Amino acid sequence: MGHARHFVRLFGLVAIVVIAFLGARAQVVPKDFGTQGPFRASAIPEAAKREPRHLGSEACSDCHAKINDAWAKGKHHTPQCENCHGPGLLHVKVMSEDSVDAYPDQIKKNPKALRVTSGIQECEWCHLKTFERPSTLKSIKNVERHIIETGGKYTAASKCTDCHNPHTTVVK
Amino acid sequence: MTQPLSDGDLTRRSFLERVATTGAQTFIFGGLFVTTALMRLPQDATPGTTPAKRKKRAPEVIYGFVVDTTKCIGCGSCVRACKAENNVPDGFCRTWVEEYTFYPNGEVVVNSPKGGENGFPDDAPDRNQPAEIGQLPSRGFFVPKLCNHCIDTPCIQVCPVGASYKTPEGVVLVDPQRCVGCGYCVQACPFGSRFLNPETNTADKCTWCYHRITKGLKPACVECCPAEARIFGNVNDPNSEISRILATNRVQVLKSYLGTNPRTRYIGLDSDVI
């Protein structure tokens, strides 16, 4: 008998350490870790859950039928509504409700919840001719020159929308 | 430690020493054995598995992305759409546009102010100024960049906590709950597609708008591109637009020599594009 208890103690100690390790591991490693690969499997549905913020131009047609029709029939149907106006999710949500009380201050200050259009910056993003830009769409080389050449009077406050309808490009 | 194990010689001291070494050895090797046995997890479906297994798990949808650099007009619509859709903090981009300008003396200038968020200024020298003739750029183009969603990802390999992963559709994502923000993946990515988000303190990257594509929508950048320079779809579906484009175009990937096997492919890529 004698020394057997040393071994009992030894293996007992080892067993405790192994159990403690496994226990700690079970605590810190999520249950679904490794079921589909070396990652947490429920991260995939979590990543897919978020709500899309860009709704597409069809989402605007119910309430803005006139503009949407003109846009769809005109020459400017390639840029989408949200290209110039920013993502529409919040706008549609806010506009579908009666008041903005439930929304944060940011929206109370900007109750349309859209990007503010300047009527010139948006146009320049796509239409200003730069050396690197391919000539696939009609562009203007110089804002001032374009406005003067087309019979306008250029001032610092000049906008493209002074003459062009942004939704159809038609000159007023 | 060469004493024979006999009752008489075994002192308390040497017994304790032996217990300590044996215990430590058992702990280390036993622990290693147990952990490796537990961690023998199913590996990624694409490389390394046997053909039978791969076939069994082959998903119906594998997404792909094509960037047509010949069509890009550098308007930055994709950058703005991406930032708004994914709440990307100021100063960072999940997708961005680079402007390449080539000069006759061999100089190449790459420009990307704020990732192209506000478009690109007309900064080429005036062709009508005699003093600048000779320094006029000879050619130029735009190259939109985004995560390449590589098949053999360096970024997933280096993640110490299993926070970077690939979905069955081939999309490389970050699990913000597990990410500890160590930044290994940011350094491992040879394309600079990842960054540490200062708001969440986790790694952040292009997800191909996973929350949109799983609902049947296109990624925000594809949706907003006015030049059809970005094409996204299911490459396993022979009738999809992307399959048609891949079948009728000569495509290339960025930094093919690194062997990361990107799923984002480029049309009209120049050898000077890095």
Side-chain angles (χ1 to χ4, degrees):
Chain A
M1 184 60 204
H3 290 301
R5 63 195 170 94
H6 294 303
F7 290 99
V8 172
R9 277 188 197 163
L10 176 62
F11 287 115
L13 197 69
V14 171
I16 287 169
V17 168
V18 168
I19 288 167
F21 173 80
L22 292 178
R25 191 177 183 279
Q27 280 295 310
V28 295
V29 178
K31 269 213 177 61
D32 54 353
F33 193 92
T35 51
Q36 287 190 38
F39 61 94
R40 201 167 57 89
S42 51
I44 297 182
E46 277 167 30
K49 209 170 55 193
R50 235 174 69 223
E51 208 172 355
R53 293 188 186 175
H54 287 80
L55 307 174
S57 300
E58 310 83 59
C60 319
S61 56
D62 290 347
C63 304
H64 298 292
K66 232 169 121 188
I67 290 180
N68 208 290
D69 276 0
W71 168 81
K73 287 195 201 104
K75 285 181 174 171
H76 225 208
H77 56 266
T78 315
Q80 303 296 306
C81 310
E82 285 163 321
N83 230 321
C84 295
H85 292 296
L89 174 68
L90 269 175
H91 172 70
V92 174
K93 270 192 183 166
V94 173
M95 289 304 161
S96 312
E97 286 167 23
D98 290 337
S99 88
V100 291
D101 290 346
Y103 289 91
D105 289 351
Q106 219 182 327
I107 305 250
K108 284 184 193 133
K109 274 189 222 134
N110 174 16
K112 305 271 163 56
L114 285 169
R115 185 192 289 148
V116 180
T117 50
S118 73
I120 178 161
Q121 193 196 13
E122 300 90 51
C123 317
E124 288 182 357
W125 286 334
C126 293
H127 286 291
L128 206 59
K129 178 73 188 143
T130 72
F131 175 74
E132 293 81 4
R133 181 162 280 172
S135 355
T136 40
L137 65 112
K138 291 178 177 171
S139 50
I140 59 167
K141 182 75 193 148
N142 182 302
V143 176
E144 192 177 342
R145 215 183 296 155
H146 173 72
I147 293 179
I148 292 169
E149 275 171 9
T150 51
K153 203 167 156 287
Y154 180 78
T155 66
S158 288
K159 289 177 176 181
C160 310
T161 45
D162 291 347
C163 300
H164 293 276
N165 179 327
H167 304 127
T168 57
T169 77
V170 170
V171 179
K172 290 167 195 168
Chain B
M1 294 293 284
T2 48
Q3 298 152 324
L5 187 62
S6 71
D7 285 6
D9 296 337
L10 191 64
T11 62
R12 178 177 289 265
R13 183 188 194 88
S14 67
F15 175 75
L16 287 176
E17 269 173 16
R18 276 193 214 177
V19 167
T21 37
T22 325
Q25 281 168 359
T26 319
F27 178 67
I28 290 168
F29 293 112
L32 266 180
F33 181 75
V34 173
T35 26
T36 40
L38 282 174
M39 301 257 283
R40 202 171 293 157
L41 302 164
Q43 291 301 305
D44 185 276
T46 326
T49 42
T50 61
K53 262 190 185 165
R54 201 186 305 163
K55 206 174 163 199
K56 205 178 80 195
R57 266 201 268 122
E60 281 164 23
V61 180
I62 286 281
Y63 290 122
F65 203 107
V66 172
V67 179
D68 191 341
T69 59
T70 59
K71 286 188 179 161
C72 179
I73 59 166
C75 64
S77 294
C78 47
V79 184
R80 290 185 293 275
C82 174
K83 289 198 133 183
E85 179 73 40
N86 299 302
N87 216 4
V88 180
D90 231 13
F92 297 91
C93 293
R94 288 181 175 196
T95 182
W96 66 99
V97 181
E98 289 171 2
E99 181 192 57
Y100 281 74
T101 315
F102 296 78
Y103 290 88
N105 61 1
E107 200 186 344
V108 186
V109 177
V110 188
N111 195 11
S112 185
K114 292 193 84 183
E117 191 183 351
N118 297 320
F120 290 86
D122 184 15
D123 50 7
D126 190 344
R127 282 177 182 270
N128 299 321
Q129 291 289 313
E132 312 227 45
I133 291 175
Q135 294 168 36
L136 294 177
S138 46
R139 64 196 179 103
F141 48 79
F142 295 102
V143 182
K145 298 250 178 108
L146 67 159
C147 173
N148 286 283
H149 293 272
C150 304
I151 293 169
D152 299 314
T153 49
C155 54
I156 292 181
Q157 284 173 30
V158 299
C159 181
V161 293
S164 276
Y165 61 98
K166 214 184 312 168
T167 73
E169 305 101 328
V171 185
V172 178
L173 297 178
V174 179
D175 177 357
Q177 257 186 47
R178 277 197 77 72
C179 178
V180 293
C182 67
Y184 282 177
C185 56
V186 178
Q187 300 207 359
C189 176
F191 307 101
S193 304
R194 289 180 171 235
F195 59 92
L196 282 179
N197 187 324
E199 279 162 21
T200 59
N201 285 319
T202 56
D204 203 335
K205 69 183 284 297
C206 159
T207 61
W208 275 351
C209 283
Y210 195 68
H211 60 294
R212 295 175 62 89
I213 59 179
T214 46
K215 295 180 180 74
L217 301 167
K218 286 179 187 160
C221 58
V222 178
E223 182 85 36
C224 282
C225 179
E228 292 173 9
R230 292 169 175 249
I231 304 103
F232 178 83
N234 177 6
V235 292
N236 268 4
D237 174 5
N239 299 320
S240 65
E241 190 195 357
I242 193 162
S243 299
R244 187 183 56 77
I245 286 185
L246 285 173
T248 52
N249 281 281
R250 296 155 203 204
V251 293
Q252 216 181 335
V253 296
L254 287 171
K255 300 190 184 178
S256 59
Y257 54 89
L258 292 174
T260 63
N261 260 322
R263 283 205 161 99
T264 301
R265 273 153 282 189
Y266 282 80
I267 296 173
L269 204 58
D270 194 87
S271 63
D272 280 303
V273 174
I274 40 165

